[in-house]
Amino acid sequence: MNKKLIVANWKMNPVTYKEAEELFRFVEKGMRDIKNAEVVLCPPFVYLPMLARLFSKQFCAGAQNCFYEQGGAYTGEVSPLMLKDIGCKYVIVGHSERRQYFFETSEIVNKKLKAVIEAELKPILCVGEDTRDSFDSKGHWTHELDPKVKEQLVLMLNGIPKSKIGEIVIAYEPVWAIGTGKPATGDDILSAKIFIQKVISDLYGRKVSQTMRVIYGGSTDSKNAAVVMKEGQADGLLVGGASLDGEEFVRMMKCIAL
Ligand code: PEP
């Protein structure tokens, strides 16, 4: 059985390194008996070099973002090669908050994706529609109503060779489910996964689409994680809010990956 991928996105939290290290140590201790998960913690950039030294094989460091050049005169930016150098393994690219607050387009995400792959890091590529309008009155996902996920995928994967596709983890993150307390249902997630696999299959062939990991993110917690994972056939979770509460996050991992 493939290990589940559990990604904690701390976003711009906590506000002191002391708190970050406490949370880190709590999670690290709590996950010692977790066997079936690869856990990726994505703290803010400033904590990464200190925390990256403490990670182990099953528990690794990820970044929440990066720039698309590896070095140069780009004030305030952090490059994939820098992340690689301090021991990061994964980078989240295309998170909806980057689109919303920092005006990232799919074309920019595409450049970031290429830079992450070039630096031999694993990208966690976020896709997702804005509203729940893409579901019909019976709650079935009507893909035709919202071509956004397809458009995002096609633009973001533009120019990525087939040989590199297996390294990408797709995070299905419907914007309407992020931080709202209203997660997508197992059915929603499964429909989305099948849809994403179809788009990948059309672009790269069926075999590639079947091996690609598709994880889910949006208002997951210890109460819904097991159901969401099982019914949605998700290969893992991208967790925001719940990953900031050490006890809750450890409970969540235990529900899905003991
Ligand atoms: C996210 O921002 O990627 C996310 C999944 O957040 P939350 O779990 O808080 O909905």
Side-chain angles (χ1 to χ4, degrees), residues 100-159:
Q100 185 181 351
Y101 302 117
F102 305 98
F103 313 109
E104 272 187 19
T105 60
S106 294
E107 287 79 3
I108 294 175
V109 179
N110 172 255
K111 289 192 197 178
K112 292 188 173 189
L113 186 59
K114 286 176 177 158
V116 169
I117 292 172
E118 184 188 51
E120 296 178 342
L121 292 164
K122 289 181 201 265
I124 299 167
L125 180 66
C126 300
V127 291
E129 73 286 2
D130 292 327
T131 65
R132 215 173 189 287
D133 295 348
S134 43
F135 294 81
D136 68 16
S137 58
K138 294 198 179 76
H140 297 134
W141 214 45
T142 54
H143 307 141
E144 299 74 20
L145 280 181
D146 195 342
K148 187 147 188 177
V149 171
K150 179 171 180 183
E151 187 193 289
Q152 284 176 352
L153 280 169
V154 169
L155 291 173
M156 293 190 301
L157 294 172
N158 183 29

Side-chain angles (χ1 to χ4, degrees), residues 9 11 95-97 173 177-181 217-220 238-242:
N9 176 11
K11 309 193 183 186
H95 192 281
S96 60
E97 285 157 12
E173 292 225 312
I178 297 179
T180 59
S219 296
T220 51
L238 176 48
V239 188

